[in-house]
Amino acid sequence: MQREEGLLISEYTNLMTAIENLYLIVTKQKKTNEHFAEIVKRLLKDTNFILNLSEEEIENVANKIKNIRRYLVHSNKTQKSTANDIAFMTHIIAILIEVIRSRIMMEIGIDQEKIERYYKKVEGLENVKKYLVSGIEKEIIKEEKKMSIEPLSEEEKEDIAKLNALSGTRYRESDYNLENSKDLIEAIENLTAEYMDYLHYWLNLEEIMENFDQSIEVFHPEKWMRQTKEGNTGNELIDETFANLYIVSDNMCELHNQAEEKCIEIWKFLLSGDNEEAKKHFLGETSKYTKEELLEALEETMENITEVEYENQVQNDTMNFAKEIMMYAKESKKGR
């Protein structure tokens, strides 16, 4: 199964590269600053005679493809839960190959009506469509709300005060007022650094699991082969170690996912809001960028999160995150 998944992942990543290259050929561009989901949506619309998806279905399918790509292509594993459905990925690959094939035929001048007639004769496409659409959970559109951070209880405040008194630390003992620039800056630093920490702890755990699996294969190939066939190595300690590593990694993944959601939410609050003092603190001068451009740059940063320098220091990691946002904002501005 591991070997099959490895082949599938390789095919998927190659296909994502092919989609971007095809888009550049079709649009006669040398490079693109468009988000990958937008590229996929455009190609799906151009070849929608294959599955006849609705606008909403195209949106959802494109976002699912993008999230799997974030997990596989960027190797940041921030969307692990979206890439667990191997059957779904197989269907996506099959459809995207047809999308590429059809778009190339259109580009070289083959009559579109002939291509449409071909797909009308292909059996089973309706079932594929049902599988893809039913396999995607619709995104819940949240009503715009005021950003808030869960307040501390009185007991929690007292515990922090005791820790500060005993250890000489200066951990925050009061709740955040996000209308206050100083509080907003501190909240962004803590939520961003927490996310960066949990991301790297999780990636380290994933690497440990991969390395441990490789060690078993190299030093105990007979146990490794038994594991691939029967699901266990026959060695209680090795099996228990594998099981516990999976549990710890999954737990850290969940902590990372929760921290990621909070990090995105606080940065959206900053970039969409009017607190120029806090914006300037992290991003410098942003007046020439629209809110939409900054939010797009945030999305690019999240897609390429492993490229953000990690120093395991709160202020430094937050500023490195902010620098990445501005880098994408500038690149996007140049491409327009």
Side-chain angles (χ1 to χ4, degrees), residues 75-92:
S75 301
N76 62 2
K77 302 182 179 179
T78 58
Q79 297 291 324
K80 183 178 181 180
S81 60
T82 66
N84 284 339
D85 190 341
I86 300 301
F88 186 97
M89 201 187 303
T90 303
H91 280 78
I92 287 288

Side-chain angles (χ1 to χ4, degrees), residues 286-303:
T286 61
S287 59
K288 64 181 178 180
Y289 302 101
T290 65
K291 177 180 75 173
E292 289 71 27
E293 287 171 337
L294 291 172
L295 290 172
E296 285 180 7
L298 171 63
E299 184 178 344
E300 289 286 348
T301 300
M302 297 306 298
E303 284 197 21

Side-chain angles (χ1 to χ4, degrees), residues 6-245:
L7 182 59
L8 188 67
I9 288 169
S10 176
E11 288 179 355
Y12 195 93
T13 53
N14 289 338
L15 191 58
M16 298 305 104
T17 303
I19 285 173
E20 288 184 305
N21 290 338
L22 172 65
Y23 180 75
L24 294 176
I25 291 170
V26 168
T27 57
K28 312 294 190 294
Q29 297 181 55
K30 291 183 179 178
K31 69 174 195 174
T32 179
N33 290 310
E34 286 198 61
H35 292 303
F36 187 75
E38 295 303 316
I39 294 172
V40 173
K41 274 188 268 186
R42 190 169 301 186
L43 289 174
L44 287 172
K45 287 177 182 178
D46 286 348
T47 58
N48 201 23
F49 46 78
I50 299 175
L51 290 182
N52 294 313
L53 298 167
S54 67
E55 290 279 337
E56 184 183 18
E57 287 167 346
I58 287 175
E59 179 85 23
N60 290 332
V61 169
N63 285 331
K64 176 79 172 183
I65 292 168
K66 178 198 74 173
N67 286 336
I68 295 175
R69 177 179 182 260
R70 284 180 64 186
Y71 175 77
L72 299 176
V73 179
H74 293 298
S75 301
N76 62 2
K77 302 182 179 179
T78 58
Q79 297 291 324
K80 183 178 181 180
S81 60
T82 66
N84 284 339
D85 190 341
I86 300 301
F88 186 97
M89 201 187 303
T90 303
H91 280 78
I92 287 288
I93 289 174
I95 287 302
L96 289 181
I97 288 172
E98 296 305 319
V99 166
I100 291 174
R101 192 199 314 273
S102 299
R103 195 60 189 80
I104 289 173
M105 286 193 286
M106 292 163 65
E107 188 66 17
I108 63 177
I110 295 177
D111 186 63
Q112 186 172 325
E113 288 186 8
K114 290 182 179 178
I115 305 173
E116 289 182 29
R117 285 200 298 273
Y118 168 77
Y119 283 105
K120 284 177 182 176
K121 295 177 182 178
V122 176
E123 295 181 4
L125 281 179
E126 194 59 36
N127 290 332
V128 172
K129 176 181 175 179
K130 286 179 182 176
Y131 186 92
L132 291 182
V133 173
S134 64
I136 297 177
E137 293 181 9
K138 290 183 180 178
E139 287 188 20
I140 299 172
I141 301 173
K142 298 179 181 176
E143 292 183 13
E144 195 170 334
K145 61 178 182 178
K146 195 172 181 180
M147 171 73 192
S148 64
I149 297 175
E150 187 176 347
L152 296 166
S153 68
E154 290 305 314
E155 183 181 356
E156 288 169 334
K157 291 177 183 178
E158 289 174 10
D159 286 341
I160 295 172
K162 288 176 185 175
L163 177 61
N164 285 338
L166 289 169
S167 307
T169 51
R170 290 186 291 178
Y171 297 123
R172 188 181 182 89
E173 299 174 21
S174 59
D175 296 325
Y176 290 105
N177 173 14
L178 297 182
E179 299 304 315
N180 177 283
S181 296
K182 185 178 178 183
D183 278 13
L184 178 56
I185 288 169
E186 186 178 339
I188 289 171
E189 287 177 341
N190 284 334
L191 291 177
T192 304
E194 180 183 24
Y195 164 59
M196 294 292 290
D197 278 355
Y198 291 172
L199 169 65
H200 281 79
Y201 301 157
W202 178 37
L203 294 179
N204 287 340
L205 284 166
E206 292 281 299
E207 186 176 1
I208 288 170
M209 285 198 298
E210 290 171 8
N211 290 341
F212 183 52
D213 181 75
Q214 188 174 21
S215 293
I216 299 302
E217 181 181 2
V218 172
F219 303 123
H220 303 284
E222 74 290 349
K223 291 181 174 59
W224 190 85
M225 279 302 296
R226 173 172 170 165
Q227 183 184 45
T228 61
K229 292 188 294 184
E230 300 178 23
N232 66 81
T233 65
N235 182 295
E236 187 176 341
L237 182 58
I238 291 175
D239 291 338
E240 187 177 352
T241 302
F242 268 121
N244 288 335
L245 280 171

